[in-house]
Amino acid sequence: MEPVATNKRQTCQEVMARVKDDHPWFGIEQEYTLLDVDGHPFGWPKQGFPGPQGPYYCAVGTGNVYGREVVEAHYKACIYAGITISGTNAEVMPAQWEYQVGPCEGIKMGDHLWMSRFLLHRVCEDFGVVASFDPKPMNGDWNGAGCHCNYSTEKMRLPGGFDEINNAVEKLSKRHNYHIQAYDPQGGKDNMRRLTGLHETSSIYDFSSGVANRQASIRIPRHVGEEKCGYLEDRRPSSNCDPYTVTEVIARTTILNEEGDVVLKLNC
């Protein structure tokens, strides 16, 4: 029996079985936007827009955050269900939120993130709102939504693991297009609206990396740069990515040492 085309778990499981001795850990930051039933961001003026971005990120207070009751209900549902959820915060665009799942080892990352998404949609039913995973739900001077993937192997986490992190970054740099193609369900076309080099993103066409650089493809957290061990953050995956595909290709490139890039066909 052949798996259906949308079942990305099978190949991910095969890869994770091959790399299990490296103990790959993943932690994914899932961003999403709450919408009213008319498709307009929840809490936004119906005939206009809220004030410019700035006061909404990790904010508190009426007028700064929209939908916290939904966020907290989802968080509790995930805990009750056994999802490895580890945090949540309001994002840069009002009505945009993020929650973090992980660290999870191997195939568990995809399992836990998919179930967390299911629970989010289910909770939103109870509040009469919609959760959108569109990577750029609002055009203009508004941040998009990503699904940043934090990643490490056992060697990266041990003292002196910074060399292993740099080696992984070097391997990722040589397969930028291959990863872009895997990081959204449309082969990069969804992410093209988000990865513009603006709004805390890198350019979809260029690979970059750096310590504490929020506009890089791969960010090395500041404390990792100081402690010389830890993990890296791939900021390219879109909010609607398949976590099985994302974690699979990262393992293929950085652990199995697969090589070869592709040509992006984003304007077709």
Side-chain angles (χ1 to χ4, degrees):
M1 182 180 295
E2 292 292 325
V4 297
T6 55
N7 179 7
K8 307 301 183 183
R9 190 181 192 277
Q10 184 188 37
T11 55
C12 182
Q13 176 62 67
E14 292 171 354
V15 168
M16 293 308 169
R18 293 169 62 189
V19 303
K20 60 181 175 54
D21 292 340
D22 290 88
H23 300 288
W25 287 4
F26 302 92
I28 288 185
E29 306 168 31
Q30 176 67 71
E31 296 179 342
Y32 64 95
T33 307
L34 291 176
L35 307 177
D36 211 335
V37 291
D38 60 2
H40 202 60
F42 182 72
W44 285 31
K46 290 300 182 184
Q47 303 301 321
F49 301 91
Q53 295 183 153
Y56 310 111
Y57 182 61
C58 295
V60 296
T62 302
N64 290 330
V65 294
Y66 307 101
R68 189 183 298 278
E69 61 274 26
V70 180
V71 173
E72 294 189 345
H74 172 246
Y75 196 85
K76 292 175 183 177
C78 285
I79 292 174
Y80 183 81
I83 303 297
T84 309
I85 192 167
S86 50
T88 187
N89 61 271
E91 267 300 331
V92 177
M93 187 181 85
Q96 185 187 76
W97 292 84
E98 173 187 301
Y99 63 91
Q100 301 89 35
V101 175
C104 296
E105 186 166 330
I107 195 68
K108 291 182 180 179
M109 185 68 258
D111 292 344
H112 283 234
L113 193 70
W114 270 119
M115 285 307 302
S116 73
R117 289 174 173 177
F118 167 81
L119 290 172
L120 179 60
H121 287 307
R122 180 60 187 83
V123 167
C124 283
E125 288 181 29
D126 293 340
F127 289 91
V129 295
V130 176
S132 170
F133 294 112
D134 190 298
K136 187 68 174 178
M138 297 299 292
N139 294 323
D141 194 17
W142 304 103
N143 274 36
C147 205
H148 302 166
C149 184
N150 299 277
Y151 162 69
S152 67
T153 61
E154 186 173 39
K155 290 181 179 179
M156 294 180 191
R157 298 187 291 270
L158 294 174
F162 202 60
D163 286 342
E164 289 292 327
I165 294 172
N166 285 330
N167 288 339
V169 173
E170 178 65 21
K171 294 173 186 177
L172 290 166
S173 72
K174 296 176 180 178
R175 306 190 85 195
H176 177 63
N177 292 347
Y178 169 77
H179 281 261
I180 288 294
Q181 199 171 70
Y183 283 175
D184 79 53
Q186 303 300 322
K189 292 181 180 179
D190 282 346
N191 238 346
M192 185 169 60
R193 295 182 285 124
R194 166 181 162 260
L195 296 180
T196 62
L198 303 174
H199 303 110
E200 299 178 278
T201 70
S202 58
S203 168
I204 196 169
Y205 299 105
D206 302 306
F207 182 88
S208 57
S209 64
V211 175
N213 185 349
R214 298 176 69 88
Q215 286 190 287
S217 308
I218 305 292
R219 178 173 69 163
I220 308 300
R222 187 179 303 279
H223 71 277
V224 173
E226 294 173 351
E227 297 170 7
K228 303 303 180 184
C229 63
Y231 63 96
L232 61 84
E233 177 193 13
D234 193 333
R235 297 174 61 83
R236 295 171 294 177
S238 68
S239 50
N240 62 347
C241 69
D242 187 325
Y244 292 129
T245 301
V246 170
T247 55
E248 176 187 337
V249 298
I250 290 175
R252 284 184 181 276
T253 298
T254 64
I255 303 177
L256 297 180
N257 297 317
E258 294 187 4
E259 299 178 343
D261 210 354
V262 299
V263 176
L264 286 179
K265 299 180 180 179
L266 301 179
N267 297 315
C268 297

